[in-house]
Amino acid sequence: QVHLAESGGGSVEAGGSLRLSCTISVEMSSFCMGWFRQAPGTELQGVAAIGRDGRPSYRNSVKGRFAISKDNAKNTLYLQMNSLNTEDTAMYYCAADSGILDPQDPLVRPDNLDGWGQGTLVTVSS
């Protein structure tokens, strides 16, 4: 069973930055990894994903502001978030799957993936 643990969330003013981290309990190099988020009253949405080959992909609204990366040796996934705005406020979740993660796919659900974290809250104030 895959266990994921996120950290790094917090409160920040608009224009600020945060770096999220996610540790995985198994060999990360075998999985496609991603970040998802959900704001109160809204649908779950993909934010960014990184393939086993290290290739990143992003939802359009975060391109140029967010950067996903990973350290296979540390089994840790990162999300550097810059130029944050109030629309980025949400619970952020780390995900792992042996298949492909597409941050633009609206049909991704935690139950369909190999691993899903407990989430870390990001609050951006104006």
Side-chain angles (χ1 to χ4, degrees), residues 28-32 50-54 70 72 97-100:
M28 188 170 66
S29 60
S30 300
F31 294 91
C32 183
I50 187 165
R52 283 173 286 276
D53 61 358
K70 63 177 181 174
N72 285 338
D97 199 64
S98 55
I100 297 174

Side-chain angles (χ1 to χ4, degrees), residues 5-10 12 16-23 28 33-38 45-50 55-59 61-71 75-84 87-95 103 119-122 124:
E6 304 94 337
S7 61
V12 63
S17 298
L18 283 174
R19 188 193 196 201
L20 305 183
S21 299
C22 170
T23 56
M28 188 170 66
M33 303 292 296
W35 290 97
F36 293 78
R37 68 186 181 186
Q38 188 168 26
Q45 63 178 214
V47 175
I50 187 165
R55 182 173 300 180
S57 57
Y58 302 93
R59 72 177 300 107
S61 63
V62 307
K63 285 181 180 177
R65 300 189 298 123
F66 290 10
I68 188 171
S69 61
K70 63 177 181 174
D71 186 333
N75 285 332
T76 302
L77 177 73
Y78 304 100
L79 184 68
Q80 178 67 44
M81 304 186 295
N82 300 324
S83 301
L84 285 161
E87 293 181 350
D88 297 316
T89 294
M91 186 71 80
Y92 282 71
Y93 299 93
C94 176
T120 186
L121 182 63
V122 172
V124 184

